[in-house]
Structures are given as structure tokens and as C-alpha cells.
Amino acid sequence: MIFSKQVGLHRHLQMCVRALSSLRYKDLQITLTKTPTRTSGDDHLKFGAHISDHMLEVDWTAEHGWDIPQIKPVSPLHIHPAAKVLHYASEIFEGLKAYRCVDGKVRLFRPREHLRRMSATAERACLPAFDQSEFLKCIQKLISVDQEWVPDSKNQSLYVRPTLIGTEPTLGVSASNKAKLFVITTPVGSYFAGGLKPFSLLADPKYVRAWTGGCGGYKMGSNYAPTVAVQKNALEKYGCQQVLWLFGDDHQMTEIGTMNLFIYWVNEQGEKELLTPSLESGLILPGITRKSVLELSRQWKEFYVTEGNITMKTFIKAWNDGRYYSKPHHWMETLDPEEEEKTAGCG
């Protein structure tokens, strides 16, 4: 009996510690800015150029867990110059959107899918786990506080950027015992300056975005920095707006820029088909828009929907055979090609 009581007390104490160390919406503290900067709408919003008034921020330590989450005026982060994020790219992020709908209400696009992906990336980067439901409540409150920043336009939205970084102030490649989770938002228009128009692609096999066993299937900042020089070279040397990333000796077509890739064509069996690279290789980021397009397309049953490898040789043969659609299917005309969730439709 005594042993049973001791075990029960121990479990109770463990539960209390876990509860105290969890990220909880009910603990959220809000401090509003005294100098709001939002004035009026902008028909030509440059992507990511206008940061909203407030941010969400919460710290974590291995010893005490999550601290009290705060919504406060946007301000510089206070981190030590030895913070692991600055030396070893201990950083992950997400990108999702809030829309002002025709009924005036503001809605997030599939936020739970985004946070599930963020949690998987955090685990891969050895950064702390967080309660997805509680974190989502905090994000929703942040958007509510800055709801005036959500554009009233079908061509614009509020881009939401949750970020998790390792902040332990020690050098040495190891898991960070301290971290910071924060969210900023920004009203955006089209990701591309020219809007949703056809663009040219550089396909050069000497450049590789991701590889088998790597982190191409996770949303980490370290995946993006190495691509900037290639993108710059594509534009300045070849006049190409984006890079078609290839992989392997057979030149598998994987992604375009930071976009998932879809091809709409007639396959060798004479069937209309929507084809996108499979996630099984680990090379492809599991885009939420990608998942949505696949789910909708399978519901429509208007054409075959396939996830599999696409090689340049196969694509060029289809082009030469005239099996490649020169005009997009109706669903491509409605896609909003933004940041990480944008989807390139070759067709």
C-alpha cells in the first residue's frame, strides 16, 4: 500500500511538472503597441516587406520547459552571439496564410497540417516539441490582435511565419538546451512580382537541392540558403526566373524553386494524368497545397492522379510526342503561388 501511494505521488508530480512546462494558451500575456503602423490597403504588396505590429514569442529550456507565451509589439530578438542557430543552423519554420473571406471572417488555410509538419521538422532538427493545439490558439489570437493587417482582397492574404530556433549560448555541434519559438505576420500579394504568369526554368544537373537521406523533406532554413546563389545565377546568366531541381544520374525532376512540381499530360497509355514526385525518396517537401491538390483531384476523378518519379528523358519524350498540355487545367488557374506552399503546374 505504501509503495502504491509512493508510485501514485511520483506520477502525480511528473504530471504536474509536465503541465507546468507545457506551452499553454491560457498563460498567454498580451501587450499592445502604442504606435500602430497599419494605415490603408496596398494593391501592390511586395512579399514579406511589411511586418505586422505584433509578434508571438515564447522561450524554452530543457530544465524548465516552455515559459509564458507573449504577444507583444514586434521587436528585435535578444539572443547570445554564441547561440547555436547562428553557428549550426539550428532553425526551422513554417509558412501559412490567413484569408479574409467573402463573409468578412478571417480563416487560416489548414493550420493543423502546417503544425504537424513543423513538429516533424522540429524532431528532425532536435528542437523541442510543443503542443500543437495550444500553439494554434496562440497564433489565432495573434491574428485576431492584428486583424486589421489581413487584406480585404481575393488576391492578397496575411502570411504567417512560425519559427523555432536553438538559442543555447555554447559552441559545439549538439542539441540546443535552449530555444525560442516566435511568430511574425505580413500582408502579402503574389510571391512573384509579375503575378501568376508562365516563367522560364534553368535545369542543370550539377546543382542539387536535396539528396537521399538528407533534410529535403523538412522545412529548415538550411535547405534554402544554398539555393540562393543558383537562383541568382539562373536569372543573371540565363534569364531564367526559377530553377528546376534535378537529382540522380537519370535527372529526376523534383521541385521548382521552392515549389512542389505537378505535370498534367497524356501518359504513354493515352490517359490524362496529373503526376507529381513521390515523397518516398525524402527529397520532396510535403507541401500542404500539394496535399490539397492531390486530395481534390482524386475526388473529382477527371484524370489519373499519380505520385512517382519524373525524369527529364520521360518529360522530353512526352513533349516531342505532343502529349504535354500547352494550356493548364482549370484547377491550375486558381492556385495562389505563394512561398513554400506554392505549386508549379507544368501543363
Side-chain angles (χ1 to χ4, degrees):
M1 179 65 73
I2 294 176
F3 175 76
S4 177
K5 288 183 177 179
Q6 288 176 338
V7 171
L9 178 60
H10 179 67
R11 288 179 179 173
H12 176 71
L13 289 174
Q14 283 185 321
M15 292 177 63
C16 289
V17 170
R18 284 198 294 269
L20 289 172
S21 64
S22 296
L23 193 163
R24 298 184 300 184
Y25 171 72
K26 71 176 185 178
D27 297 331
L28 181 65
Q29 296 179 351
I30 301 176
T31 303
L32 299 180
T33 180
K34 296 180 181 179
T35 56
T37 58
R38 182 66 166 163
T39 54
S40 59
D42 187 345
D43 293 334
H44 304 286
L45 287 170
K46 183 178 179 181
F47 192 93
H50 308 280
I51 305 301
S52 309
D53 284 329
H54 298 88
M55 64 185 295
L56 171 66
E57 184 177 353
V58 54
D59 289 313
W60 174 89
T61 66
E63 183 179 1
H64 300 293
W66 289 103
D67 201 349
I68 296 172
Q70 298 182 61
I71 289 176
K72 61 181 185 178
V74 170
S75 61
L77 299 177
H78 295 283
I79 59 175
H80 194 279
K84 290 189 182 295
V85 63
L86 302 177
H87 301 270
Y88 310 113
S90 178
E91 185 267 359
I92 69 169
F93 68 96
E94 265 301 325
L96 62 155
K97 288 184 171 182
Y99 296 87
R100 192 176 298 279
C101 301
V102 293
D103 59 2
K105 294 182 179 180
V106 175
R107 294 181 174 88
L108 281 164
F109 177 69
R110 307 197 78 170
R112 291 175 180 81
E113 292 286 348
H114 283 276
L115 294 186
R116 272 194 285 270
R117 185 174 67 179
M118 187 174 184
S119 291
T121 306
E123 182 178 0
R124 182 65 174 84
C126 218
L127 287 167
F130 54 87
D131 188 305
Q132 297 174 37
S133 296
E134 294 295 299
F135 186 37
L136 176 55
K137 292 177 186 177
C138 292
I139 292 175
Q140 290 171 326
K141 187 62 178 179
L142 174 65
I143 295 172
S144 175
V145 168
D146 274 343
Q147 60 181 298
E148 295 301 319
W149 286 81
V150 184
D152 188 10
S153 169
K154 66 178 182 179
N155 298 318
Q156 298 176 341
S157 59
L158 185 73
Y159 186 76
V160 183
R161 171 55 61 86
T163 307
L164 179 57
I165 61 176
T167 56
E168 182 184 349
T170 59
L171 299 181
V173 183
S174 61
S176 182
N177 288 323
K178 293 184 179 181
K180 184 182 292 289
L181 179 63
F182 64 92
V183 183
I184 55 175
T185 65
T186 169
V188 297
S190 174
Y191 183 75
F192 301 107
L196 185 56
K197 297 179 181 178
F199 48 78
S200 57
L201 305 174
L202 172 66
D204 190 333
K206 73 180 181 182
Y207 299 120
V208 178
R209 189 199 77 89
W211 50 92
T212 304
C215 297
Y218 299 93
K219 204 162 183 61
M220 303 176 176
S222 57
N223 287 342
Y224 295 83
T227 69
V228 175
V230 185
Q231 172 67 49
K232 187 172 183 288
N233 182 61
L235 182 61
E236 294 180 354
K237 188 174 181 179
Y238 300 99
C240 296
Q241 288 77 31
Q242 289 290 331
V243 176
L244 171 58
W245 298 105
L246 305 178
F247 178 78
D249 294 336
D250 57 351
H251 300 165
Q252 295 174 37
M253 301 166 65
T254 61
E255 293 189 350
I256 293 178
T258 57
M259 299 180 277
N260 288 129
L261 166 68
F262 282 86
I263 293 178
Y264 182 55
W265 62 3
V266 174
N267 61 28
E268 293 185 342
Q269 290 71 46
E271 304 157 329
K272 291 182 179 180
E273 181 181 51
L274 181 67
L275 177 62
T276 191
S278 169
L279 300 179
E280 292 182 0
S281 66
L283 302 173
I284 310 299
L285 182 72
I288 311 307
T289 300
R290 174 190 182 278
K291 181 176 182 179
S292 302
V293 168
L294 290 173
E295 290 172 346
L296 289 172
S297 298
R298 285 169 176 148
Q299 288 179 22
W300 294 336
K301 299 180 179 179
E302 296 181 18
F303 41 77
Y304 283 91
V305 180
T306 306
E307 296 179 68
N309 288 341
I310 312 168
T311 65
M312 283 296 292
K313 181 179 180 180
T314 302
F315 180 76
I316 291 172
K317 184 177 186 302
W319 180 281
N320 292 334
D321 291 345
R323 293 186 285 107
Y324 171 78
Y325 280 97
S326 60
K327 292 184 179 181
H329 194 268
H330 64 83
W331 61 264
M332 295 182 188
E333 298 174 351
T334 62
L335 290 179
D336 186 14
E338 301 295 354
E339 189 57 66
E340 299 73 31
E341 299 311 326
K342 52 191 186 292
T343 302
C346 289

